[in-house]
Amino acid sequence: MKNATKMSVLFLCLSAGITLYSCSDDDKSTPTELSLYEKLGGFNKVQDPNNPNQLIEQGRLSYRSVVDSTITLIVADIVAGSQGNLGAHFAPIVAEVSSGNATNVAVLSKNLTDFFAANTGGGATNTYTGLGMVAAHDPAQNPRMGVKANNADYDKFIGYVGAAAGLNGVTDPVLIGEVVTVLESLRAPIVQE
């Protein structure tokens, strides 16, 4: 009987060891977590609504759509004179647009789209070559920035991004949480006042 018990215990130990080994983290068949870029559509090519004869990665299109909607919401509040709008920050660009020059709005859209696509898993097809976050948000280093931001300004900006995401069909709270995490990781270099 003792031998049978010892054999049973040995069998259980071997079974447990084999099970633990087969379920270890070294198992190459475990799927990896998708990047934020991939969750927003990834590398799948779709027709670019702004350039019908061109294709664009769905992830990049998602970012560009939210960026453009964010810019539109900010400008709408500036034009309406809404309380707490970000007009002082975007005054140089708004002045240009008011005189008929939208060049720097297009540059702003491209830079923001490049930045987020490149830094959230957009791979080699998405690169950012603009200013670093500190320089980009310091009027002394970037003449397109009107004033330095404080925490309330940045909170307002995050609110605009959230509203723009919703306007573009991004409503999953987990996904929005990931976007907010990315934005919060940028607070320190952007908030300079």
Side-chain angles (χ1 to χ4, degrees):
M1 185 77 145
K2 281 186 175 183
N3 283 342
T5 303
K6 286 182 182 179
M7 292 297 278
S8 295
V9 170
L10 181 60
F11 177 75
L12 286 172
C13 288
L14 284 173
S15 296
I18 291 170
T19 301
L20 287 173
Y21 178 76
S22 67
C23 294
S24 74
D25 291 337
D26 294 336
D27 187 358
K28 302 290 187 235
S29 65
T30 304
T32 58
E33 187 171 330
L34 296 175
S35 69
L36 183 54
Y37 186 84
E38 291 168 315
K39 290 176 185 177
L40 291 171
F43 303 98
N44 182 42
K45 297 275 189 159
V46 296
Q47 186 175 10
D48 184 344
N50 292 355
N51 303 298
N53 296 325
Q54 294 182 351
L55 296 177
I56 185 172
E57 291 177 356
Q58 181 62 54
R60 183 172 183 79
L61 177 59
S62 295
Y63 274 122
R64 189 183 73 199
S65 298
V66 171
V67 164
D68 288 350
S69 294
T70 300
I71 292 169
T72 299
L73 291 171
I74 290 169
V75 169
D77 270 1
I78 293 168
V79 170
S82 299
Q83 181 73 23
N85 71 62
L86 300 178
H89 299 279
F90 294 94
I93 294 174
V94 171
E96 290 173 356
V97 171
S98 297
S99 65
N101 180 359
T103 302
N104 283 328
V105 172
V107 170
L108 176 63
S109 173
K110 182 183 180 317
N111 280 345
L112 286 171
T113 301
D114 288 348
F115 180 83
F116 286 111
N119 289 290
T120 59
T125 58
N126 292 283
T127 58
Y128 175 72
T129 58
L131 296 172
M133 289 299 98
V134 171
H137 295 89
D138 180 1
Q141 298 179 63
N142 179 8
R144 292 174 37 217
M145 181 60 60
V147 296
K148 291 183 177 183
N150 61 35
N151 278 310
D153 299 327
Y154 197 63
D155 290 341
K156 181 87 171 173
F157 176 75
I158 290 174
Y160 285 124
V161 173
L167 290 172
N168 286 282
V170 180
T171 57
D172 177 1
V174 173
L175 195 54
I176 291 171
E178 288 185 47
V179 171
V180 169
T181 298
V182 170
L183 292 171
E184 284 298 337
S185 74
L186 300 169
R187 185 180 289 271
I190 291 173
V191 173
Q192 299 177 22
E193 185 176 282

